[in-house]
Amino acid sequence: MATERLNSILSHLTPTKSGLAAITQKNPDDVVITLAIRTPLAKGFKGGFKDTQLDYLIYSLLKKVIQKSNIDPQMVEDICLGNVNDAKAAYTIRAAALAAGFPNTAAASSVNRFCSSGLKATQDIANQISLGNIECGVAIGAEMMSAAADRIPQPFHEEILKNQEAADCMQPMGQTSENVGKDFDISREAQDRFAAESYQRAERAQKAGWFDDEIVPITTTVKDPKSGEEKQVTLTKDEGPRWGTTYESLSKIRPAFPDYGDRSTGGNSSQVTDGAAAVLLMKRSTALKMNQPILAKYVGATVTGLAPRIMGIGPSLAIPKLLGKYNLALDDVDIIELNEAFASMAVYCLNTLGIDASKMNVRGGAIALGHPLGATGTRQICTGLSECRRQKKKILLTSMCIGTGQGMAGLFVNEVL
């Protein structure tokens, strides 16, 4: 502690470090992650969470946060939930937190920036810690896609629809994927080959047990659709990976959005999924005082906007913006978790940014694992940090496209080497 405090003081008296040296420096006021866990990801409408309510899933994961961290719940000052489809999310997180064992002094809120909601929740808690408003908080992302669809029930006001880009915000996500495929000539073959690699990587990771240190088991109830009989089950692994998937098998799947194009399919698009993920954040000095294991340092996150009709390419804009803020190059990054909303956007971002494919989605991505909208931002942190630990790598970058034309990216430093 004394050494880190001295280093912090000296850093103000010496020339400012930049790039990797700056973000890997350790100071008492750093925002750090001391726990990163998630539920298994279950298939929407037919998987292990199909009969589970969002509140119970959040409650179950928050209980695991307390158990796994062994933290005194009294230390947690705020909990932020990233969620897209539940209109009662703010009520849900507050009630679930109280039931899970957090005191009424721990505040709660919900945020919604579509597919980046989990990262937005992390940024919200981290910013509060960084500003000194709180010392410890929990960011959680959760989505029950079995319970709702994210379509706008009715058009915007006619005055709003006079603006073409505003009207484009209503385009279905599948249409925006086909726009990217056509506008940037991302072929069906390129998309299917990318998707096959995602499935094969997820299969390899699952068989090798790479996910085991990020997943916590969740016990819930499942109802038999024919008999109506209910039984208790404990989910321990992701349901999305389809072992044995090949390019040849994916190439036989018919287009999913024929009204808009013929390149995106159910095989090369992200899966409809239920799941949740959480990260525990606090000041480094607080973690040391509480004897909490420091997994990683939160460096920062940023967001950008773009044309809604090609929302999928958002990461290609958000990533350079974030790296530029810290004077970093893409080569400085060791592991990249880029959300595979659709193979069209993933292939575009991979090629346009010149990403080393061996660094990106090492365990597969949303095409193979699933994309529970509000949870993906925190799920990527859990998976990315676990992969950093496995490879003994330092710098993690996460990113995703966002409906209505946005992109977000987050930067972290693994400290378990």
Side-chain angles (χ1 to χ4, degrees):
M1 270 291 284
T3 302
E4 288 189 351
R5 174 59 69 182
L6 179 59
N7 288 338
S8 179
I9 295 170
L10 289 174
S11 71
H12 295 292
L13 304 177
T14 55
T16 303
K17 293 182 179 179
S18 64
L20 283 173
I23 69 167
T24 56
Q25 185 173 298
K26 297 179 181 179
N27 295 305
D29 290 337
D30 289 340
V31 178
V32 298
I33 295 171
T34 60
L35 182 74
I37 56 174
R38 67 177 181 90
T39 71
L41 302 183
K43 288 180 175 292
F45 302 106
K46 57 184 178 181
F49 289 141
K50 69 180 180 65
D51 301 308
T52 300
Q53 292 184 190
L54 178 68
D55 57 358
Y56 178 79
L57 191 67
I58 294 170
Y59 156 81
S60 299
L61 187 56
L62 288 177
K63 283 188 73 173
K64 296 287 187 180
V65 168
I66 295 173
Q67 293 168 7
K68 294 278 286 186
S69 68
N70 201 30
I71 193 175
D72 179 358
Q74 298 284 343
M75 296 298 297
V76 174
E77 297 174 77
D78 200 7
I79 302 169
C80 187
L81 165 70
N83 174 266
V84 178
N85 285 323
D86 197 304
K88 304 188 299 296
Y91 288 102
T92 299
I93 184 60
R94 176 64 170 160
L98 292 169
F102 289 97
N104 59 21
T105 52
S109 68
S110 64
V111 294
N112 180 359
R113 200 197 291 273
F114 301 111
C115 304
S116 71
S117 297
L119 180 56
K120 174 66 176 168
T122 304
Q123 182 188 48
D124 182 277
I125 294 295
N127 285 350
Q128 289 194 73
I129 295 170
S130 182
L131 291 169
N133 297 330
I134 64 173
E135 286 199 15
C136 178
V138 176
I140 180 170
E143 203 75 47
M144 296 301 299
M145 293 185 74
S146 294
D150 62 333
R151 291 298 304 275
I152 299 173
Q154 59 188 30
F156 296 123
H157 191 280
E158 61 184 19
E159 287 298 313
I160 292 175
L161 292 174
K162 289 177 182 178
N163 179 286
Q164 185 57 54
E165 288 202 322
D168 287 345
C169 289
M170 294 186 62
Q171 288 194 12
M173 293 298 96
Q175 182 177 356
T176 69
S177 176
E178 292 290 1
N179 292 343
V180 170
K182 284 181 282 192
D183 286 12
F184 304 106
D185 195 25
I186 312 297
S187 69
R188 165 73 188 265
E189 179 180 346
Q191 295 185 44
D192 284 345
R193 289 195 182 281
F194 179 89
E197 179 68 20
S198 181
Y199 276 109
Q200 289 158 14
R201 290 184 179 194
E203 177 182 345
R204 185 162 59 248
Q206 200 168 50
K207 286 179 175 177
W210 293 353
F211 293 115
D212 293 353
D213 74 338
E214 58 180 285
I215 294 176
V216 291
I218 300 293
T219 299
T220 187
T221 301
V222 176
K223 183 184 296 185
D224 186 293
K226 293 180 179 178
S227 67
E229 180 186 354
E230 293 186 350
K231 65 176 181 178
Q232 194 175 78
V233 296
T234 298
L235 277 64
T236 60
K237 67 178 185 177
D238 298 325
E239 298 175 350
R242 294 194 277 264
W243 293 7
T245 297
T246 63
Y247 162 71
E248 287 73 22
S249 63
L250 291 176
S251 67
K252 296 173 184 175
I253 300 175
R254 67 179 185 272
F257 316 105
D259 291 345
Y260 309 116
D262 59 3
R263 307 184 194 198
S264 295
T265 73
N268 64 31
S269 305
S270 58
Q271 298 182 35
V272 175
T273 308
D274 303 324
V279 291
L280 178 61
L281 302 108
M282 61 189 72
K283 281 187 178 180
R284 185 184 297 277
S285 57
T286 303
L288 293 171
K289 185 169 59 181
M290 295 169 59
N291 292 316
Q292 284 287 308
I294 296 175
L295 301 185
K297 173 182 175 179
Y298 168 89
V299 179
T302 194
V303 69
T304 189
L306 66 150
R309 64 177 299 280
I310 51 170
M311 68 92 202
I313 71 169
S316 71
L317 303 173
I319 289 173
K321 181 178 178 181
L322 180 63
L323 295 179
K325 289 182 180 297
Y326 296 97
N327 195 25
L328 296 171
L330 198 56
D331 286 345
D332 293 323
V333 176
D334 297 311
I335 299 294
I336 299 171
E337 282 286 321
L338 191 146
N339 188 43
E340 301 167 356
F342 299 94
S344 59
M345 53 73 57
V347 171
Y348 175 88
C349 293
L350 184 72
N351 294 340
T352 300
L353 293 174
I355 296 172
D356 179 346
S358 69
K359 294 181 177 182
M360 187 175 112
N361 300 349
V362 179
R363 303 180 179 189
I367 289 172
L369 300 174
H371 176 30
L373 306 179
T376 288
T378 39
R379 197 281 300 168
Q380 288 181 315
I381 298 170
C382 295
T383 303
L385 289 180
S386 176
E387 183 59 24
C388 282
R389 293 192 295 271
R390 188 186 72 84
Q391 291 195 32
K392 294 180 170 47
K393 299 291 187 180
K394 272 193 173 184
I395 311 302
L396 168 67
L397 174 70
T398 69
S399 189
M400 67 286 291
C401 59
I402 304 168
T404 71
Q406 301 173 67
M408 193 168 186
L411 192 62
F412 308 83
V413 179
N414 168 46
E415 296 191 4
V416 182
L417 297 170

